[in-house]
Amino acid sequence: MAPGEKIKAQIKKNLPVTGPQAPTIKELMRWYCLNTNTHGCRRIVVSRGRLRRLLWILFTLTAVALIFWQCALLVLSFYTVSVSIKVHFQKLYFPAVTICNINPYKYSVVKDLLSDLEQETRGALKTLFGFSEIKSRKRREAESWNSSWEGMRPKFINSVPLLFFDEDETSKVARDFLTGRKRRVSGTIVHKASDVMQIQQSKQVVGFKLCSNDTSDCATYTFSSGVNAIQEWYKLHYMNIMAQVPLEKKINMSYSAEELLVTCFFDGVSCDARNFTLFHHPMHGNCYTFNSRINDTVLSTSMGGSEYGLQVILYINEEEYNPFLVSSTGAKVIVHQQDEYPLIEDVGTEIETATATSIGMHLTESLKLSEPYSQCTEDGKDVPITNIYNTAYSLQICLHSCFQTKMVEKCGCAQYSQPLPIGANYCNYQHHPNWMYCYYKLQQAFVREELGCQAVCREACSFREWTLTTSLAQWPSEVSEKWLLSVLTWDQGHQMKKKLNKTDLAKLLIYYKDLNHRSVMETPDNTIPNLLSNFGGQLGLWLSCSVVCIIEIFEVFFIDSLSIITRRQWQKAKEWWARRQPPSCPEAPPIPQGQDNLALDIDEDLPTFTSALRLPPAVGTQVPGTPPPRYNTLRLERAFSNQLTDTQVPDES
């Protein structure tokens, strides 16, 4: 080793250890504060006075807390979206339009199937309300309850008893419709009152009782209005009867397209029944869909306005209406996508007879971001519910599919008013005597969100919806009624056997109000580069720090500190192990040799004056060396008294 290198190594060995190799965490922190670019940390060390140092500690900790707070807000708001609305003016595709008569089947055709049910329904109305004649309340109460059922052997009332509560339904005392006797009602009582408006709380309610197979578990459903009670009771038995009728026969019982559609125009061009597709709904009979992608062709409209939309005149035929199943006259219409199932009962719009109903549309297309921005689903394949409709996914489709699936699992059959799942049958009392009780139980559980359908089903990420604006006008007018009805009767002469009446007709106009297409799109509000830029801005604002400072903090506070702690623990472990070892025999100290004397170790390159001044003072004991000479031993203190014989000088004389 060169002489200069030896001197540098000796100086470095004697200097105190600092930096990441410091022996204690305190020295490491002091070294970091003196060398870091973070100004607050440096001021804590170099400031004089306790007050000033305490203030700098407070300022630095406050800045660090603000950085953590602001960065946490940035992370939490990372998955936020911004909504942008764009309006396009372009040629628009016309939606699919499904039209259904409110009355599902012709009354003259299904009357024989429902004759027993209607007879018992009329008997119940006569017993409760004096339906056949107008009587006073006291006179009706004085009559025998059995008078309405003379000569009848009711089977529907026996299976689902109708009950009349004289006072409050909570008293659990009711009068039987068939016998007129009072009896105590067992099981739970569910009151299905109107949630919209109730002017007066009635003390007399009507209901019916449903029980399980073994009649051990029963529930009584009561209604504030006798109309709702009778219609609900009738509907249950109606679904039970129609569930046993084959589909082909039910299609023939309902209205054909030629009977329902009197006239048709679209975009100024005449159309007919061939432009409509049959769609059978269990509770609405034959429905017909216009523009249902026949031959993979979707119609479009060239301009906005009622003249360029769909115009149809519908034949309602009020005489064929079932008096107990429906209480209104008209048709239902729904606007939907071509690949979407028309949920008539949920979102259908009713149109009146003797009225021209104009429906103006505005198209809105929504596109939402999926996870992690929202819980929407792209196509429903990640939702654990089988789509029994085999159409495009939507939230309502998922809820109905879930309920129908639960119905099959719990009750062993499917609800009649919904599509039939594969491998299942519609509920009927002959094969599924417990289905009515099970159906109502599931309905209550669904409303209370106990079936889990609301938690599983999610909204679709992309969908189209049409905002409808409805306006009504009297049609036909008094001045045009005579000739218009005559011409329509002549046009339909080969099918109609009577003259048309305006209460049998309804006019429907569906059109785009304008060709403005509105798109609502969600876009990410933040990106990774924006997040990093915001982090850098917060660090620079509060601590004048950068990414390199963060790496430095991680190295010092985690790697170096952990290394110091590990070394100290390892040293303690070595000392503990040394104390546990047995003492060894002492050895004789080595005889110091000349070469062992450090003072005699002379460097080849002597230190200069400048380097010698920088050398640290010697630590510990002094280095042994050669003692200085004793000069007093060199003096002659006295003469030799005796001269040696061999040293004597001979006398010259």
Side-chain angles (χ1 to χ4, degrees), residues 378-532:
E378 295 289 346
D379 50 8
K381 293 182 179 179
D382 53 345
V383 177
I385 298 295
T386 303
N387 186 354
I388 64 174
Y389 295 84
N390 295 322
T391 56
Y393 176 88
S394 67
L395 179 60
Q396 289 295 104
I397 290 293
C398 180
L399 292 175
H400 282 287
S401 299
C402 179
F403 182 83
Q404 191 75 313
T405 303
K406 296 292 184 182
M407 185 81 179
V408 175
E409 293 176 359
K410 304 291 185 181
C411 308
C413 56
Q415 181 188 358
Y416 177 70
S417 60
Q418 300 297 331
L420 187 64
I422 299 176
N425 296 317
Y426 281 127
C427 297
N428 63 82
Y429 200 74
Q430 181 178 359
H431 299 91
H432 314 92
N434 191 39
W435 80 267
M436 294 185 183
Y437 174 77
C438 183
Y439 167 67
Y440 266 86
K441 276 286 189 180
L442 285 180
Q443 269 195 337
Q444 296 298 321
F446 183 80
V447 172
R448 294 192 298 265
E449 299 184 3
E450 296 176 355
L451 296 182
C453 296
Q454 288 83 352
V456 173
C457 294
R458 294 181 289 170
E459 189 178 2
C461 293
S462 60
F463 55 91
R464 286 185 175 186
E465 59 181 354
W466 286 265
T467 304
L468 307 181
T469 304
T470 305
S471 59
L472 304 176
Q474 183 181 353
W475 180 89
S477 63
E478 294 183 359
V479 296
S480 61
E481 176 182 350
K482 185 175 181 180
W483 74 265
L484 193 146
L485 294 178
S486 299
V487 173
L488 291 177
T489 303
W490 182 83
D491 289 339
Q492 302 294 323
H494 61 285
Q495 297 179 2
M496 304 291 179
K497 297 181 180 180
K498 66 170 187 176
K499 184 178 180 180
L500 292 177
N501 193 303
K502 68 177 183 179
T503 56
D504 293 329
L505 301 175
K507 186 175 182 180
L508 174 64
L509 298 91
I510 300 180
Y511 55 92
Y512 279 112
K513 300 182 71 174
D514 50 50
L515 297 184
N516 290 334
H517 172 207
R518 186 173 64 173
S519 299
V520 180
M521 302 180 62
E522 289 184 352
T523 55
D525 205 11
N526 296 294
T527 59
I528 295 297
N530 291 340
L531 182 65
L532 295 178

Side-chain angles (χ1 to χ4, degrees), residues 176-383:
D176 194 300
F177 266 51
L178 188 59
T179 62
R181 297 176 182 177
K182 290 185 178 181
R183 64 177 183 178
R184 181 167 294 276
V185 179
S186 61
T188 59
I189 296 179
V190 181
H191 185 62
K192 304 185 73 173
S194 174
D195 295 332
V196 181
M197 181 178 62
Q198 190 170 353
I199 299 176
Q200 183 179 1
Q201 182 68 30
S202 175
K203 294 184 178 181
Q204 297 182 348
V205 294
V206 182
F208 50 83
K209 185 177 181 180
L210 297 175
C211 297
S212 58
N213 287 337
D214 53 2
T215 67
S216 60
D217 189 10
C218 297
T220 302
Y221 297 89
T222 61
F223 301 83
S224 301
S225 172
V227 173
N228 295 334
I230 295 297
Q231 282 189 331
E232 193 72 16
W233 180 83
Y234 182 91
K235 183 180 178 181
L236 281 176
H237 294 292
Y238 170 84
M239 291 191 299
N240 179 69
I241 295 172
M242 298 305 298
Q244 306 176 53
V245 180
L247 178 60
E248 294 78 6
K249 187 175 181 180
K250 287 187 288 189
I251 292 176
N252 295 329
M253 290 178 178
S254 188
Y255 301 90
S256 64
E258 289 78 10
E259 292 174 337
L260 181 64
L261 302 170
V262 180
T263 62
C264 175
F265 281 91
F266 175 73
D267 203 9
V269 180
S270 178
C271 54
D272 53 23
R274 292 172 296 180
N275 300 101
F276 290 80
T277 305
L278 173 64
F279 159 70
H280 186 82
H281 190 276
M283 294 303 297
H284 290 279
N286 290 347
C287 300
Y288 297 94
T289 303
F290 175 79
N291 194 25
S292 61
R293 205 194 298 265
I294 301 177
N295 299 326
D296 294 332
T297 301
V298 179
L299 302 177
S300 60
T301 180
S302 56
M303 294 185 65
S306 59
E307 296 182 359
Y308 299 94
L310 176 64
Q311 303 181 29
V312 292
I313 297 178
L314 306 176
Y315 178 57
I316 303 302
N317 196 5
E318 187 178 3
E319 292 182 357
E320 291 286 356
Y321 268 47
N322 189 325
F324 301 112
L325 184 63
V326 293
S327 57
S328 58
T329 305
K332 272 195 171 183
V333 60
I334 179 174
V335 177
H336 58 94
Q337 298 185 57
Q338 279 72 21
D339 57 350
E340 184 181 358
Y341 185 87
L343 297 171
I344 299 293
E345 293 183 329
D346 294 346
V347 293
T349 302
E350 293 189 355
I351 59 176
E352 305 177 26
T353 57
T355 304
T357 304
S358 299
I359 301 178
M361 301 183 300
H362 275 296
L363 174 60
T364 301
E365 186 174 5
S366 300
L367 181 60
K368 300 181 65 177
L369 295 175
S370 57
E371 292 182 349
Y373 297 95
S374 68
Q375 297 296 323
C376 67
T377 176
E378 295 289 346
D379 50 8
K381 293 182 179 179
D382 53 345
V383 177

